[in-house]
Amino acid sequence: MKNSSMKKVFVLDDDKSTLNYIGNFLKDKGVESELFYNPKEFTERLKRGDKADIYFIDINLSSANIGEGFVLIESLRALIPSATIIAITKRNSSQDIDKIFSNGACEYIEKPIDPIFLSRILSRYLDENENFNKGLFPVSSSNQHCNILDDMTLIGLNETKLVVESEFLVLKNYQLVLEGRLLKEITSREQIRSYVEEVTQIPGSNKYKIILNIQLEHPSTRVHIRKWLNKQGQLD
């Protein structure tokens, strides 16, 4: 992990085993970290103006009020709009995941911590290797927007999924906010959220086929998709 020794990570979790696991993992990777067991101490450090390159925040803080992890993520996003916030969670329902992202997290990692996924997160946000960064969608550091016309080629869809072809690799379960002229034509919306459901490399190619599970937050979106499919002759 190139130049990561100059980076800093804050970790807030009142589960000491998880806190120590992430701390030791970061130490082995040569990444400076500060571990917070108490949310009050974490908040005070932020108020003093202390900053990090990545903030890991547990949303299931048993020592705090229910939902305080979500509140902390939202407050941190307001305080530092460009912050890279990773939620730590035992929850994986669609409602919880939606709330994690809507409150301002960039990604989430589930307990028990998967070392491979944790390593990928660190590489994504701390690695300054140019070749690695070229393998990701060129997304904004603050909102992860990407343009479906510039970055992806639409090769199929139904009422709940988009299938796209891309030279850029993204990780499974990654959230993307899609936008672009074609997407607006299909859904009538300026933007739409999606989760990466499956990623496979196309044989004999440097491109990937990516299945995106689109989040139909507005009932009318499904109607517009059906109309577009009918217009293209994709539905009977």
Side-chain angles (χ1 to χ4, degrees), residues 106-204:
C106 300
E107 293 196 35
Y108 70 95
I109 186 168
E110 294 184 47
K111 295 181 180 179
I113 302 299
D114 181 343
I116 295 177
F117 190 67
L118 178 56
S119 182
R120 287 175 177 172
I121 287 176
L122 296 176
S123 294
R124 173 176 294 159
Y125 293 107
L126 296 183
D127 200 328
E128 296 177 4
N129 185 298
E130 184 178 356
N131 290 329
F132 178 87
N133 291 332
K134 284 181 178 178
L136 300 175
F137 278 101
V139 296
S140 163
S141 60
S142 60
N143 57 22
Q144 297 177 276
H145 286 190
C146 65
N147 190 302
I148 193 169
L149 291 177
D150 293 342
D151 302 333
M152 298 176 286
T153 300
L154 182 66
I155 59 175
L157 78 158
N158 59 27
E159 294 176 47
T160 59
K161 301 182 193 298
L162 294 176
V163 182
V164 299
E165 185 178 283
S166 175
E167 294 181 358
F168 299 101
L169 172 65
V170 289
L171 298 179
K172 188 176 179 180
N173 298 324
Y174 194 66
Q175 188 207 40
L176 293 172
V177 180
L178 305 172
E179 57 185 7
R181 179 180 57 79
L182 179 58
L183 191 70
K184 185 177 180 181
E185 179 185 331
I186 295 171
T187 67
S188 80
R189 311 209 65 81
E190 296 287 344
Q191 297 176 341
I192 193 165
R193 289 193 300 167
S194 69
Y195 295 102
V196 178
E197 184 175 291
E198 184 177 334
V199 181
T200 55
Q201 186 163 9
I202 299 173

Side-chain angles (χ1 to χ4, degrees), residues 69-133:
F70 289 114
V71 174
L72 284 172
I73 289 174
E74 188 174 33
S75 300
L76 177 55
R77 174 62 64 210
L79 182 65
I80 309 175
S82 62
T84 298
I85 305 171
I86 312 298
I88 305 171
T89 180
K90 289 182 179 178
R91 305 174 178 179
N92 57 8
S93 71
S94 58
Q95 293 87 349
D96 289 323
I97 300 307
D98 283 346
K99 191 172 182 180
I100 285 171
F101 288 117
S102 64
N103 279 44
C106 300
E107 293 196 35
Y108 70 95
I109 186 168
E110 294 184 47
K111 295 181 180 179
I113 302 299
D114 181 343
I116 295 177
F117 190 67
L118 178 56
S119 182
R120 287 175 177 172
I121 287 176
L122 296 176
S123 294
R124 173 176 294 159
Y125 293 107
L126 296 183
D127 200 328
E128 296 177 4
N129 185 298
E130 184 178 356
N131 290 329
F132 178 87
N133 291 332

